[in-house]
Amino acid sequence: MSHASATHPTRRGILAAGGALGLGAVLAACGDGDGKSGGAGDGSGGAAKSGPWSFKDDRGTTVKLDKVPANIVAFTGVAAALFDYGVEVKGVFGPTTTKDGKPDVQAGDLDVDKVTVLGNEWGKLNVEKYASLAPEVLITTTFDTAGTLWSVPEESKDKVAKLAPSVAISVFDRQLTQPLQRMWELAESLGADMKAKKATDAKAAFDKAAARLRAAAKAKPEIRVLAGSASPDLFYVSGTNLSVDLEYFKALGVNFVEPSEDAKKATGGWFESLSWENVDKYPADVIIMDDRASTIQPADITEGTWKQLPAVKAGQVIARSPEPILSYDKCTPLLDNLAEAIENAKKVG
């Protein structure tokens, strides 16, 4: 889900809400798609460092290789998740470094100087550079039912598909725990040691944070949370349906502000677009704001209507990651931060 500047009013705007409606036809599937595992990684465990490898992704496509892939190319956020489990990639595409050369928020703990960046923004992937890496597999997410590969350019998807098979983890219309589990299984299939203390501690910390958020929401059911995203011309209010983080937070009991159904219909159900003059349409006590570099961050919003919002005046605004890095280590703070915000929130909206 990515949303951003007014230069991408439809495609990027849809992303702002926490997902995408679809960016074109799905890449040609590599593998036989029969769902049978021929090796170490069928998506249910069984990590192996040599020998045949297979993984059935969330499109139902089974990718089979003679060995566990070493030359992996992945969307930046996916690469960051795999890195947390000890799996390194050769190349990345998607927001990786900021203008000053520092890691983008979606790069997590990746050493951005040690990966080949094939495109440093959403929807950019240099095919020639990609081919030069001799990729064995491309891994990304998908935000629609068609299985469209996230951030793979529509105009070059066929060329990309011919160079290596692809694996997609779905983050469409499901709770956060599902893609987290799938990324865990994928990392395990690629040789990660999921019994290592770092991995098991991260999972335990996530479970503890989830319990904390559930308790906070139960203790303060009156606190209304609004998920927003800012562009120069519009303010986007995200609905909870379709977005992995918001669906999960809602299931834990968080009381979310929901955009009107009529407004969401125009964006495929993701969000409502508001002019800055109407940014106060929905009363809220806590606002969680899109943290991606493609959006305007709260400290940089100059609109007077924003500054007059009760939640803003009360300092009850925190960051949200609409494209969370799908490792337990990176998702735990999302739960803890929201729990803390609700615990400390005053009723202002």
Side-chain angles (χ1 to χ4, degrees), residues 24-332:
V26 64
L27 285 183
C30 295
D32 60 12
D34 62 4
K36 298 176 182 177
S37 173
D42 64 354
S44 59
K49 301 196 177 183
S50 63
W53 178 83
S54 71
F55 188 84
K56 185 176 181 180
D57 75 359
D58 290 340
R59 300 169 299 176
T61 297
T62 299
V63 176
K64 294 183 178 182
L65 299 174
D66 292 337
K67 61 183 179 65
V68 176
N71 288 359
I72 301 170
V73 171
F75 177 71
T76 302
V78 170
L82 292 174
F83 181 84
D84 283 351
Y85 294 128
V87 177
E88 298 188 13
V89 306
K90 293 294 180 66
V92 296
F93 57 100
T96 306
T97 59
T98 58
K99 292 180 180 178
D100 58 5
K102 295 180 180 179
D104 185 89
V105 65
Q106 295 190 61
D109 292 330
L110 270 181
D111 187 338
V112 296
D113 295 323
K114 291 185 178 180
V115 293
T116 299
V117 181
L118 305 176
N120 195 29
E121 60 182 282
W122 185 89
K124 299 293 184 182
L125 195 164
N126 185 304
V127 178
E128 289 71 28
K129 261 189 174 183
Y130 178 57
S132 73
L133 295 178
E136 295 173 274
V137 67
L138 179 148
I139 308 174
T140 187
T141 52
T142 183
F143 279 85
D144 60 25
T145 56
T148 306
L149 297 181
W150 188 240
S151 200
V152 172
E154 172 69 18
E155 62 273 14
S156 57
K157 64 182 180 65
D158 293 335
K159 292 180 180 179
V160 170
K162 291 178 181 177
L163 293 169
S166 59
V167 166
I169 300 298
S170 179
V171 286
F172 178 73
D173 196 18
R174 60 200 59 203
Q175 293 181 24
L176 180 60
T177 47
Q178 290 178 266
L180 274 172
Q181 177 62 27
R182 292 294 285 145
M183 192 64 71
W184 175 286
E185 293 166 358
L186 176 59
E188 186 173 37
S189 80
L190 292 169
D193 180 5
M194 310 315 282
K195 294 181 180 179
K197 189 174 186 300
K198 180 181 178 181
T200 57
D201 283 357
K203 177 65 166 61
F206 177 88
D207 292 340
K208 182 179 179 180
R212 179 186 179 184
L213 180 54
R214 186 189 297 276
K218 184 176 181 179
K220 287 191 171 182
E222 74 280 4
I223 296 299
R224 290 171 296 186
V225 178
L226 182 148
S229 187
S231 75
D233 300 319
L234 295 170
F235 181 79
Y236 303 85
V237 178
S238 299
T240 56
N241 192 30
L242 306 180
S243 302
V244 291
D245 61 330
L246 302 185
E247 285 202 12
Y248 184 53
F249 300 159
K250 183 178 181 180
L252 292 175
V254 176
N255 179 13
F256 278 101
V257 172
E258 296 284 357
S260 70
E261 290 303 317
D262 287 341
K264 288 195 296 182
K265 284 179 182 177
T267 60
W270 290 102
F271 63 95
E272 178 177 358
S273 304
L274 299 175
S275 67
W276 283 104
E277 289 75 19
N278 295 315
V279 73
D280 61 351
K281 179 177 179 179
Y282 298 106
D285 304 296
V286 172
I287 301 176
I288 57 175
M289 289 291 290
D290 191 334
D291 68 355
R292 289 167 297 179
S294 56
T295 67
I296 301 176
Q297 297 307 299
D300 299 320
I301 298 175
T302 59
E303 299 290 342
T305 49
W306 163 260
K307 295 179 179 180
Q308 292 304 310
L309 293 177
V312 176
K313 294 173 72 173
Q316 296 178 174
V317 178
I318 66 169
R320 173 202 172 201
S321 298
E323 291 182 65
I325 294 172
L326 297 171
S327 71
Y328 289 107
D329 180 70
K330 293 301 180 292
C331 287
T332 295

